[in-house]
Amino acid sequence: MSAAELLANTLSPDASTRQDATAKLESASRENYPQYMLMLSSVLAGEDGPLHVRNAAGLALKNALSARDSARQQEYSNRWLSLPNETKGKIKQDALLTLGSVSQKAGNFASTVVAAIAAVELPQGHWPELIELLLGFVNNQTNTNLKISTLQTIGFICETIKPEILSLRSNEILTAVIHGARKEETSAEVQLAAIHALYNSLEFVRENFEREGERNYIMQVVCEATQNASVAVQVGAFECLVRIMGLYYDKMALYMEQALFGLTVVGMKHSDERVALQAVEFWSTVCEEEVDLALEAQEAQDYGETPETESRHFAKIALPEIVPVLLHLLTKQEEDAEDDEWNVSMAAGTCLSLLAGAVQDGIVPAVIPFIEAHIKAEDWHNREAAVMTFGSILEGPDPAVLTPLVDQALPLLIDMMTDPNAHVKDTTAWTLGRICDLLIACIKPDVHLHPLVSALVGGLGDSPRVVANCCWALMNLADQLGLYYEDEVERPGSGPLSPYYEGVVQALLRVTESASNEANFRTSAYEAITSYLSHATGDSIFVVQNTLLTILDRMERLLAMQNQIIGVDDRNNWNELQSNFCSVVIAVIRKLEKGIQPLSDRVMTLVLQLIQAAGKTSTVLEDAFLVVGSLASALEANFAPYIQAFLPFLYSALKAHEDTQLCTVAVGIIGDISRALGEQSAPYAEPFMTVLLENLQSEVLNRNVKISVLSCFGDIALAIGPLFEPFLETTMAVLKQAGAVEPNPLDYDLVDYVGQLREGILEAYTGIVTGLKKTPKVEILLPYAQDILTLIQRCLADEERTDSLVRLCYGLLGDLADSFPGGQLKQILLHPWIASELRSKNRMPPETKKTMRWAREMVKTATQ
């Protein structure tokens, strides 16, 4: 069978033909990779071949060069780079030739292949002539297809390769792309490809944006493209404006004044929804930037500094222009819109809520006339838009400004829960949920609570979307009232929701009996139940206990159905329900604390059965493990009888290095068990330490899990105190090695990782020092004191340090000094940097300052 036939068969409607062809291609790729790649390349370049087969060849080439998984990508890159230069040269030549194919689609396929090769070679310094070649193709005046495909290639390359690799060629790339996007270009398809390429290159042309002349020209071309005859080009141009606003806000004042205000307001009114969506998105981006800048300004003011970038208050200036357009767009709802379908009405609602955050009190007078005029309108579109407007402005303005409006609106909104239109009810439930979440003080228990709870519980019998929002509103009500009244009383015996507890939880449990989970309503009901149980007051504890019995019965029934599961949907439903059950059980355990003891045997038996039944289903295993962790924390020493039965499952999870989440949870459980049992956990310390050290040596395990492992050493050491001595030397060597890692300041991910790594090491040191402090074995810490202080000094000298890191440093310094009040560490504690760091500083949260003062006292005592 020829290569073309094989590739054609990978697209066959017959599953067995498709699978057979795919298997043969995979086999060819393994057995003779160079020949396989040359074969695909010749099919892609063959002008006589059917288009769908050339597409399959292009796709196979791209998939042989790029992968989402970083380890596999490295393997693919090495495999390509090890090919003979002659082979690579032939494949590159075929792909570049195909860019100019008479078939534009074939050129599109080739553009992904060229970009995939570039993504492997350019970072290695290979194929230096590529950009030059592509720029030459863009300037080819005779072959329009070649220009389109080349611009697409440049766009793909800009999208996949790190900006710093291309920044040296940014001038030439930008020139070529802008040339294709100009209004003088006669082909709309060339303009579209150029606009998309510009979008992808915006991040690495920062230097060009710094130069006013170049910036003016780029902005002129993009603004002109918003007026292009082609709607697709207009959409692309607005997408560019959205990204430019996100990247270069501080450079936009002149352009906003001269063009962007007008262009975007007109764009929001465009008859084609695709253009209107991007124009609305532009203002959403402006608002997001200005909310962030307001936070930065506040922070700078708190510390007596000047903010790096000042807000230009574009949203406030444009408010009178954009609010009427957004309110009009809110009335453009579609009767039968899909839940996940993004339309102008939804976009306008999102923009309005961001606008409220950006302009704060100013939004209120701008929208109130619209709400008052339409909230009782006959047309449901207007009623729903009025309620959506009200719900969207509840976060941003001062609660004192909103409170009288909410007081006035609440009775009307509660009545609207019986509106004949489903969309109105849905938005009303969401708005009530927002009020419960953001302005709980407006809900007066003696006035509003009964009608509000009655309306929301009544809504639990409605359509799935209304049910989901009613569950969310009920959850917010429990969470916020719980927090509001817990502040007033220590462990209150009763609360404003007490009379409704049993009825609400029973109603929610009825919702959860549904076999369906459309619009996520069943999961929302379980989340609401969890909130009610978490905030239960003394007079509602019986509801907590009864709910646990109901959930345990359901767990038993569902476990018994394990063998009746048929197909993926059944399995997903089973997994989802078990995770919901676990969430409720965890809430109950945390609420009852030691009161869970009478039911702990039953809980643990069911959880162990669940772990066995879940097999490799990571999410269910994680949830089951979290139940075990909360049970250990609640029972403390009384958890001991369950450990032997649980350990095999724990070790199995700890060895699942490829499963980051499960491994992280399992490491956390070791900490939970150690804290719960204290010194009684000593018999398990050796197997725990062995498996944790194995995890540190794993090349597969995610590096963030390793941070949790280091922190866990501290939990074990703190629990068993002097009995940690056999593991001390190895642990300290590991911590010293990890503490020596320095971040590359240009790699933000690495800077962030090193910060978290150092927190994990400091937590480990803190556990070890605290566990040995005030015990006869404290002297074994002396040889390591200098290493600990070296890390503390390195952390405190880091400009990127976080408050939590600084607090850990001070706490550990104080613990170390407190461990040796007799002066054994006097010499090293008298280093000038320690005295300097322990001087009072203004830029410091109160908690950190308190820890620093305590550390200063401990050091003073230890150096007298």
Side-chain angles (χ1 to χ4, degrees):
M1 193 182 287
S2 72
E5 286 173 312
L6 258 184
L7 286 163
N9 284 348
T10 62
L11 305 169
S12 166
D14 178 63
S16 61
T17 307
R18 207 167 52 241
Q19 286 162 4
D20 178 62
T22 305
K24 283 178 177 162
L25 281 174
E26 284 173 359
S27 171
S29 135
R30 283 193 302 273
E31 288 165 15
N32 193 338
Y33 176 68
Q35 198 53 46
Y36 170 75
M37 296 296 276
L38 285 167
M39 171 197 80
L40 294 175
S41 176
S42 64
V43 173
L44 174 67
E47 288 291 340
D48 300 333
L51 203 54
H52 67 283
V53 174
R54 295 175 77 185
N55 180 17
L59 194 60
L61 275 168
K62 176 183 168 288
N63 290 342
L65 287 157
S66 56
R68 285 183 180 164
D69 177 70
S70 57
R72 182 164 290 184
Q73 179 61 63
Q74 192 61 52
E75 179 197 326
Y76 285 4
S77 298
N78 293 340
R79 188 172 63 168
W80 168 262
L81 292 169
S82 63
L83 281 174
N85 285 336
E86 189 183 336
T87 306
K88 286 188 290 196
K90 174 72 171 72
I91 295 165
K92 291 176 189 175
Q93 189 64 29
D94 283 348
L96 288 169
L97 280 170
T98 311
L99 290 176
S101 170
V102 291
S103 162
Q104 194 191 314
K105 286 190 174 172
N108 295 353
F109 311 150
S111 66
T112 63
V113 175
V114 175
I117 298 171
V120 173
E121 295 214 356
L122 293 184
Q124 304 296 322
H126 299 182
W127 211 2
E129 71 278 15
L130 172 64
I131 301 295
E132 202 67 52
L133 281 168
L134 294 175
L135 297 176
F137 293 168
V138 173
N139 293 323
N140 184 314
Q141 298 305 314
T142 55
N143 188 337
T144 300
N145 282 358
L146 179 61
K147 285 170 80 169
I148 293 168
S149 301
T150 304
L151 285 164
Q152 283 179 334
T153 307
I154 291 171
F156 291 145
I157 290 171
C158 293
E159 189 178 9
T160 52
I161 293 178
K162 285 188 174 177
E164 54 267 27
I165 293 166
L166 294 171
S167 57
L168 293 174
R169 311 302 300 267
S170 64
N171 285 338
E172 297 126 293
I173 292 172
L174 190 60
T175 302
V177 168
I178 287 291
H179 189 268
R182 294 173 316 147
K183 65 180 180 185
E184 290 78 11
E185 171 58 57
T186 52
S187 163
E189 286 165 319
V190 170
Q191 286 179 312
L192 182 61
I195 280 288
H196 285 163
L198 176 61
Y199 178 89
N200 286 325
S201 66
L202 282 169
E203 203 157 336
F204 71 81
V205 296
R206 195 167 288 278
E207 285 184 18
N208 306 82
F209 254 84
E210 291 296 329
R211 295 190 279 272
E212 189 181 355
E214 291 182 43
R215 184 170 70 241
N216 287 344
Y217 188 50
I218 296 168
M219 292 303 294
Q220 179 189 331
V221 169
V222 177
C223 288
E224 285 171 352
T226 64
Q227 306 304 299
N228 195 284
S230 159
V231 170
V233 174
Q234 290 180 43
V235 173
F238 275 112
E239 284 174 346
C240 281
L241 289 178
V242 171
R243 193 152 196 216
I244 287 167
M245 181 53 80
L247 290 168
Y248 305 111
Y249 174 92
D250 57 320
K251 302 275 187 294
M252 287 297 107
L254 175 70
Y255 311 109
M256 287 295 271
E257 195 179 305
Q258 293 187 346
L260 299 182
F261 274 129
L263 284 178
T264 51
V265 171
V266 171
M268 288 197 289
K269 298 174 184 174
H270 201 288
S271 58
D272 191 301
E273 190 172 76
R274 291 170 298 165
V275 177
L277 278 170
Q278 288 306 321
V280 172
E281 183 64 23
F282 175 85
W283 282 105
S284 291
T285 305
V286 170
C287 294
E288 284 175 324
E289 288 294 319
E290 295 190 344
V291 166
D292 287 346
L293 289 172
L295 291 171
E296 286 170 25
Q298 185 59 54
E299 199 175 294
Q301 188 182 329
D302 292 346
Y303 291 128
E305 295 175 355
T306 309
E308 209 172 303
T309 304
E310 289 202 5
S311 175
R312 303 286 188 154
H313 303 292
F314 297 139
K316 199 170 280 185
I317 295 164
L319 197 65
E321 300 292 327
I322 57 177
V323 166
V325 184
L326 289 172
L327 296 175
H328 175 67
L329 291 177
L330 278 176
T331 65
K332 298 286 182 189
Q333 316 93 319
E334 295 164 25
E335 181 81 59
D336 50 358
E338 295 291 325
D339 285 357
D340 55 355
E341 186 186 321
W342 190 243
N343 56 43
V344 282
S345 172
M346 293 176 180
T350 301
C351 187
L352 199 60
S353 61
L354 291 166
L355 196 56
V359 305
Q360 299 183 334
D361 293 356
I363 194 76
V364 177
V367 299
I368 288 300
F370 176 84
I371 296 170
E372 289 175 340
H374 293 97
I375 201 151
K376 293 182 179 176
E378 280 196 29
D379 184 338
W380 74 265
H381 293 85
N382 293 339
R383 282 202 310 282
E384 196 270 346
V387 178
M388 174 60 84
T389 302
F390 192 70
S392 298
I393 64 158
L394 295 175
E395 191 169 18
D398 187 330
V401 173
L402 292 170
T403 297
L405 301 172
V406 173
D407 284 346
Q408 189 182 341
L410 255 176
L412 180 57
L413 289 169
I414 290 168
D415 282 348
M416 289 179 80
M417 280 302 296
T418 57
D419 194 279
N421 183 275
H423 294 276
V424 176
K425 278 189 286 193
D426 183 27
T427 304
T428 303
W430 172 78
T431 300
L432 288 170
R434 295 261 293 172
I435 292 169
C436 293
D437 187 28
L438 300 165
L439 295 159
I440 194 67
C442 291
I443 295 171
K444 297 175 178 57
D446 51 339
V447 179
H448 301 126
L449 214 45
H450 187 270
L452 176 61
V453 171
S454 301
L456 293 174
V457 169
L460 295 177
D462 214 299
S463 66
R465 279 179 54 169
V466 174
V467 175
N469 270 321
C470 286
C471 290
W472 180 67
L474 285 165
M475 178 183 79
N476 290 340
L477 188 63
D479 284 344
Q480 298 305 322
L481 276 178
L483 293 170
Y484 191 71
Y485 286 94
E486 274 168 24
D487 287 346
E488 292 184 8
V489 193
E490 194 69 29
R491 302 297 299 252
S494 183
L497 274 176
S498 293
Y500 310 101
Y501 244 77
E502 190 172 12
V504 170
V505 173
Q506 286 299 324
L508 289 167
L509 282 168
R510 280 195 295 277
V511 171
T512 60
E513 287 167 5
S514 168
S516 146
N517 191 23
E518 190 185 337
N520 230 26
F521 77 89
R522 188 179 63 198
T523 302
S524 300
Y526 274 116
E527 287 169 353
I529 289 169
T530 302
S531 285
Y532 276 79
L533 303 185
S534 300
H535 294 288
T537 45
D539 55 0
S540 302
I541 287 296
F542 74 97
V543 178
V544 179
Q545 294 161 333
N546 292 341
T547 306
L548 177 62
L549 294 173
T550 302
I551 296 298
L552 294 179
D553 287 345
R554 289 184 184 183
M555 276 183 95
E556 280 174 352
R557 285 202 300 275
L558 200 61
L559 281 165
M561 291 167 60
Q562 162 79 359
N563 298 326
Q564 298 167 32
I565 293 174
I566 305 164
V568 177
D569 288 346
D570 274 4
R571 168 57 66 187
N572 289 341
N573 196 36
W574 190 90
N575 292 344
E576 197 176 273
L577 280 168
Q578 293 290 15
S579 291
N580 293 151
F581 296 161
C582 288
S583 300
V584 176
V585 173
I586 290 167
V588 173
I589 293 170
R590 287 177 179 163
K591 189 72 204 174
L592 297 180
E593 295 175 328
K594 285 188 171 53
I596 193 69
Q597 179 84 50
L599 284 167
S600 59
D601 281 4
R602 189 177 174 199
V603 170
M604 200 65 194
T605 303
L606 282 170
V607 170
L608 292 175
Q609 286 175 14
L610 176 57
I611 291 170
Q612 286 170 293
K616 298 278 184 188
T617 311
S618 173
T619 50
V620 178
L621 286 175
E622 286 165 37
D623 291 324
F625 275 43
L626 290 170
V627 175
V628 175
S630 55
L631 198 60
S633 301
L635 295 178
E636 295 180 335
N638 291 327
F639 183 75
Y642 307 119
I643 290 186
Q644 286 303 335
F646 175 62
L647 282 182
F649 303 113
L650 179 61
Y651 292 142
S652 171
L654 287 163
K655 288 172 182 171
H657 293 169
E658 68 292 340
D659 190 335
T660 301
Q661 273 303 110
L662 180 61
C663 228
T664 305
V665 171
V667 171
I669 298 289
I670 290 184
D672 291 335
I673 290 174
S674 301
R675 281 191 296 274
L677 297 190
E679 282 192 2
Q680 286 182 43
S681 66
Y684 308 107
E686 188 172 353
F688 283 169
M689 289 299 294
T690 304
V691 75
L692 291 174
L693 288 165
E694 278 173 15
N695 278 11
L696 287 181
Q697 289 161 359
S698 165
E699 292 184 5
V700 180
L701 189 64
N702 181 290
R703 64 186 187 180
N704 291 320
V705 184
K706 295 184 179 183
I707 296 175
S708 303
V709 169
L710 297 179
S711 180
C712 192
F713 289 158
D715 292 329
I716 294 170
L718 183 59
I720 64 175
L723 298 172
F724 192 74
E725 185 179 5
F727 318 110
L728 188 66
E729 190 178 342
T730 308
T731 304
M732 288 306 212
V734 166
L735 295 175
K736 182 179 180 180
Q737 185 185 355
V741 175
E742 289 285 356
N744 172 357
L746 297 174
D747 186 338
Y748 295 126
D749 288 343
L750 188 60
V751 169
D752 197 31
Y753 166 72
V754 171
Q756 292 170 6
L757 174 66
R758 287 176 175 173
E759 286 199 24
I761 299 165
L762 292 168
E763 284 167 357
Y765 277 143
T766 303
I768 293 165
V769 172
T770 312
L772 290 167
K773 187 166 67 171
K774 298 185 171 37
T775 72
K777 289 279 187 181
V778 70
E779 301 287 330
I780 62 175
L781 280 174
L782 284 171
Y784 308 105
Q786 185 57 62
D787 291 340
I788 294 173
L789 289 172
T790 300
L791 178 67
I792 291 173
Q793 184 179 10
R794 188 177 292 142
C795 292
L796 291 174
D798 185 356
E799 288 183 6
E800 299 294 327
R801 64 189 182 274
T802 60
D803 282 329
S804 57
L805 186 82
V806 172
R807 195 155 51 247
L808 276 168
C809 284
Y810 289 147
L812 177 55
L813 184 56
D815 283 327
L816 194 60
D818 191 28
S819 300
F820 298 100
Q824 297 96 316
L825 294 180
K826 182 173 181 178
Q827 289 314 111
I828 58 174
L829 288 174
L830 285 173
H831 276 307
W833 72 265
I834 292 178
S836 167
E837 284 295 347
L838 292 176
R839 286 196 195 100
S840 190
K841 297 178 177 68
N842 292 327
R843 276 193 64 163
M844 199 180 286
E847 201 59 38
T848 307
K849 191 171 279 190
K850 187 177 167 186
T851 309
M852 184 195 72
R853 285 175 179 154
W854 172 78
R856 191 164 58 207
E857 287 303 311
M858 294 304 104
V859 170
K860 189 176 171 185
T861 304
T863 51
Q864 280 174 348

